[in-house]
Amino acid sequence: MQDRIYEEALKERKAFLSALQAFHDEDRENSRVSLGIIPESDWPSVLQVVNSAQIEADDNAITGVKGAVRKLARKLGVAGPAFVAWLEMLPNDAYGSVICGGFKIIIDAAVRHKELCEEVLGALGDIPEAIKDSAFSFSQYKSEELDKRVATLYTTITETLNSMLAFYRERAPGRHMRAARNAFKSVVKGPNYGQRIKADIEKVKDCASSVKQEADRCLHRRLGEVKDAQEYQTLQAAHIRRLGTEGLNLQQKIYADLKYRMRCQELEWSQKNSALHSELKDLKRAITPKPVRKNGPSLRKVIQLMGSSTDQAIEDLEDVLREGQQFPPRQQTQASLFMDSQKLQSWLTSPYSSALLAHGSSGDDKVSALSFVASLLVQSLQSSEDAAVLYSFCGLHTDAYRDSLANAPGMIQGIIAQLLRMEQHNFDLEFIDRRFIQLLESGNLEALSNLLEGLTQQLSPTTTLFFIIDGISFYETKDRLEDTCYSMSRLLGMVENAKFVMKILVSSPGASAHVSKGFHHSQIYWLPDVDPEEDGAFDHNVNVFRNQAESDARESQLGLMRSDSEWYEGL
């Protein structure tokens, strides 16, 4: 069914892909963008091309180009999350990669043909804005008609980009620049210059509006179904209450008595099992030999070397939770969106080691909506006997002059201090010699990373270890960048090569420019922006979130028993 719906879109995609390849081959000597459409072209790569163009324009003070690129960057920054969310509605990544590849090639061509830059980049910026202005309801409830309209919108956008590309292909070297400029203006700027590109952009807006209408209808239909089900359940409950105990026949009374007796027996079994479990724990504690002092520094000595205290980590967690309780409706809604996102749930409940990077939409908030969700997740995991969680809120440690933890080494030190203070683990520190201690005292990042890796390797194979790093973009400044990239590469390497389940969640209040390169695009979540006027409230609490996670984890384990291969899809 989906193949039939996207038949026209697939034809246009292939035609545009061929046009891109032809243009790239003809313009190979001048192009500064690698085509690499299918495996490489995604939205972050488009933003990188825009960023490179902006740097070049600033450095060379190119008249006209500088303003046009900045205007495009603003448009893509505002409309980008909505555009990415729309790309995720397409059947697979190949569709979106062609669109992103077209953006990259056309932006590069426009910057090189300086006199045409304003018109081209202005038209490109209108496309994501049309998606954002339509304010889709990105719901999991879809219809065949919605798929058709999404396919039509994709075809229209591809045709518009192909039209822009065709203009450059037809512009032979040596053609009079003024004639070319006037020709392009005639197709871009509407009634005074012609209708072609204006009509294309208007068609994109109309298609986007059409998608919004059907998406809203899908959501309303689903809400109606839920409401009908609730009403039916209410009527059934009222009917049962009206019957009362007087209407029960003999068989129902016997069954009710049997059920009552079974419940009593289950309660008695539960009490006996709890008592037996307590006795076994006491016995295990009594017969477990006390740890023998081995060579190497004492645990207290290593903790002192880290220069961090558990109290500091607890204070950071409490500060984030306290500030999150005061969030305005916009941030409350964003926190709910992240909590309900499929990527977070898949990352949390997957029985395999995994990594997730979450990008927010507010680049300078030291405590963002993502920070609040991270703090709730830490609270939930801390209450689990089978999980260990190590965390860092980078946004609370940014003053390098007053705070020794305000960098990547300080972040790793804080994580190690938390790990060493876990009472249930008896770490062997014999591998730490005098030379190692000297490196730790100097804050050597490689030594700190080696220490963290050596300690995690001593954890029980049944333990699930979580790393939660919030606000990483605050450590992407010029003076911290090298250490930040090194520490994140070590953490990701530990997760990838772990012999037990190890997971890492990294969040950034805005788009991460450097750390994101260590994640596959399927491991990156973009938090949608919301209307500041929109009324919303964060309706999650720690217990609800924990219960949902445990329920999902149990379902995941049952799924593994049915088929291992079916469950490795999340990340």
Side-chain angles (χ1 to χ4, degrees):
M1 177 67 72
Q2 193 174 60
D3 292 341
R4 180 177 59 80
I5 292 174
Y6 277 84
E7 183 176 357
E8 188 64 30
L10 181 60
K11 291 180 181 179
E12 187 60 34
R13 189 191 89 187
K14 290 181 178 179
F16 185 44
L17 181 58
S18 298
L20 282 173
Q21 186 65 60
F23 177 79
H24 186 264
D25 293 342
E26 294 168 2
D27 202 33
R28 187 182 301 275
E29 294 183 0
N30 295 322
S31 177
R32 295 166 295 185
V33 175
S34 173
L35 187 56
I37 295 225
I38 298 301
E40 298 176 9
S41 293
D42 53 15
W43 192 247
S45 69
V46 173
L47 299 181
Q48 289 176 1
V49 171
V50 174
N51 185 53
S52 298
Q54 192 168 0
I55 293 173
E56 180 182 352
D58 290 341
D59 291 343
N60 299 327
I62 305 174
T63 305
V65 175
K66 185 175 181 180
V69 175
R70 284 187 175 180
K71 185 175 181 181
L72 175 64
R74 285 196 298 270
K75 286 185 176 182
L76 298 188
V78 174
F83 192 65
V84 170
W86 171 74
L87 291 177
E88 292 179 351
M89 296 176 69
L90 300 174
N92 54 57
D93 292 345
Y95 285 84
S97 66
V98 172
I99 293 287
C100 295
F103 267 76
K104 289 165 56 179
I105 293 295
I106 294 173
I107 290 170
D108 178 61
V111 171
R112 287 187 285 110
H113 296 282
K114 302 177 181 59
E115 293 79 6
L116 307 173
C117 187
E118 295 182 45
E119 291 80 2
V120 175
L121 299 188
L124 281 179
D126 287 341
I127 294 175
E129 278 201 335
I131 305 294
K132 178 186 74 71
D133 293 342
S134 295
F136 296 160
S137 299
F138 295 108
S139 171
Q140 58 180 314
Y141 311 109
K142 297 182 180 179
S143 66
E144 181 179 344
E145 179 62 26
L146 179 59
D147 285 336
K148 289 179 180 179
R149 297 190 183 191
V150 171
T152 301
L153 176 58
Y154 178 86
T155 302
T156 304
I157 291 176
T158 309
E159 289 173 347
T160 301
L161 295 177
N162 207 354
S163 177
M164 294 179 185
L165 189 67
F167 174 81
Y168 282 111
R169 292 192 64 190
E170 294 170 1
R171 183 177 177 274
R175 183 178 174 184
H176 293 296
M177 182 58 66
R178 179 172 298 177
R181 182 181 179 86
N182 291 338
F184 190 79
K185 285 184 177 180
S186 70
V187 296
V188 172
K189 292 207 169 181
N192 296 330
Y193 302 94
Q195 300 297 323
R196 180 180 175 187
I197 295 299
K198 178 184 176 182
D200 286 345
I201 296 298
E202 289 300 321
K203 189 176 179 181
V204 170
K205 293 179 180 179
D206 291 342
C207 289
S209 177
S210 175
V211 172
K212 170 184 168 53
Q213 293 173 2
E214 182 60 23
D216 289 345
R217 277 195 287 268
C218 289
L219 181 60
H220 292 159
R221 280 197 293 269
R222 178 55 182 166
L223 292 175
E225 293 172 0
V226 172
K227 184 178 179 181
D228 291 343
Q230 290 174 340
E231 291 177 353
Y232 175 76
Q233 292 174 358
T234 302
L235 291 174
Q236 288 292 95
H239 177 65
I240 292 173
R241 284 195 298 271
R242 284 196 302 270
L243 289 177
T245 57
E246 296 297 330
L248 295 176
N249 57 32
L250 178 60
Q251 290 82 359
Q252 290 173 319
K253 289 181 179 179
I254 293 174
Y255 176 73
D257 182 69
L258 176 63
K259 192 172 181 179
Y260 170 75
R261 292 176 184 276
M262 188 63 189
R263 291 282 177 85
C264 292
Q265 184 61 54
E266 289 174 348
L267 179 60
E268 184 177 347
W269 287 339
S270 176
Q271 292 172 345
K272 288 182 178 179
N273 290 337
S274 297
L276 179 61
H277 180 68
S278 178
E279 291 175 3
L280 289 175
K281 287 182 66 175
D282 293 340
L283 178 61
K284 181 179 178 180
R285 191 179 299 112
I287 65 176
T288 301
K290 295 183 179 180
V292 179
R293 178 74 171 91
K294 300 180 180 180
N295 295 330
S298 65
L299 183 64
R300 179 179 298 179
K301 171 66 174 178
V302 178
I303 292 177
Q304 290 175 346
L305 289 175
M306 295 304 100
S308 176
S309 67
T310 304
D311 292 341
Q312 181 63 63
I314 295 174
E315 288 176 9
D316 289 350
L317 181 62
E318 292 176 346
D319 288 345
V320 175
L321 288 168
R322 184 166 45 253
E323 188 161 341
Q325 296 294 339
Q326 308 301 321
F327 274 170
R330 173 176 175 272
Q331 289 177 294
Q332 294 177 26
T333 302
Q334 287 183 316
S336 292
L337 287 173
F338 184 42
M339 186 77 84
D340 291 333
S341 67
Q342 184 60 43
K343 287 203 173 183
L344 178 61
Q345 294 180 23
S346 298
W347 171 83
L348 182 60
T349 60
S350 170
Y352 302 100
S353 296
S354 54
L356 177 63
L357 171 63
H359 282 152
S361 57
S362 54
D364 55 354
D365 287 347
K366 293 186 176 181
V367 177
S368 66
L370 298 177
S371 307
F372 185 51
V373 175
S375 67
L376 290 180
L377 182 56
V378 170
Q379 260 195 340
S380 182
L381 293 171
Q382 284 178 335
S383 64
S384 173
E385 295 181 357
D386 299 324
V389 57
L390 307 173
Y391 60 93
S392 177
F393 293 98
C394 303
L396 301 182
H397 300 280
T398 57
D399 189 347
Y401 296 101
R402 300 181 181 180
D403 190 346
S404 61
L405 301 179
N407 49 36
M411 175 184 73
I412 299 298
Q413 286 176 333
I415 289 175
I416 293 173
Q418 295 172 48
L419 180 58
L420 290 173
R421 287 187 172 89
M422 291 182 179
E423 296 180 357
Q424 66 270 37
H425 301 298
N426 178 29
F427 292 106
D428 179 6
L429 304 179
E430 192 173 0
F431 67 96
I432 304 178
D433 56 19
R434 182 174 299 178
R435 173 58 180 162
F436 204 148
I437 291 178
Q438 292 175 348
L439 292 173
L440 294 176
E441 289 176 337
S442 65
N444 182 275
L445 182 55
E446 182 178 0
L448 289 167
S449 301
N450 290 339
L451 174 58
L452 177 59
E453 186 169 353
L455 293 174
T456 57
Q457 290 174 352
Q458 299 181 39
L459 296 178
S460 169
T462 61
T463 300
T464 300
L465 178 61
F466 290 83
F467 291 106
I468 298 180
I469 311 296
D470 175 68
I472 194 63
S473 57
F474 288 107
Y475 289 174
E476 289 187 326
T477 55
K478 184 177 181 181
D479 56 326
R480 299 184 176 108
L481 181 58
E482 183 177 353
D483 285 348
T484 301
C485 291
Y486 177 82
S487 61
M488 290 307 304
S489 68
R490 289 295 299 268
L491 288 174
L492 290 170
M494 289 169 57
V495 172
E496 182 178 354
N497 300 312
K499 295 182 180 179
F500 57 91
V501 180
M502 190 181 297
K503 304 188 179 189
I504 182 169
L505 169 63
V506 182
S507 60
S508 170
S512 166
H514 301 279
V515 170
S516 60
K517 297 177 182 178
F519 292 79
H520 188 266
H521 66 84
S522 64
Q523 298 173 318
I524 299 178
Y525 170 79
W526 293 83
L527 180 65
D529 201 359
V530 296
D531 187 350
E533 302 286 331
E534 184 178 349
D535 186 20
F538 185 71
D539 56 0
H540 291 275
N541 59 58
V542 175
N543 291 328
V544 172
F545 182 70
R546 181 189 307 133
N547 293 338
Q548 178 64 39
E550 292 176 350
S551 175
D552 290 344
R554 285 194 296 270
E555 292 179 6
S556 177
Q557 292 297 334
L558 290 175
L560 281 174
M561 294 173 64
R562 294 192 297 269
S563 172
D564 287 340
S565 61
E566 294 176 359
W567 283 87
Y568 192 53
E569 299 175 345
L571 295 175

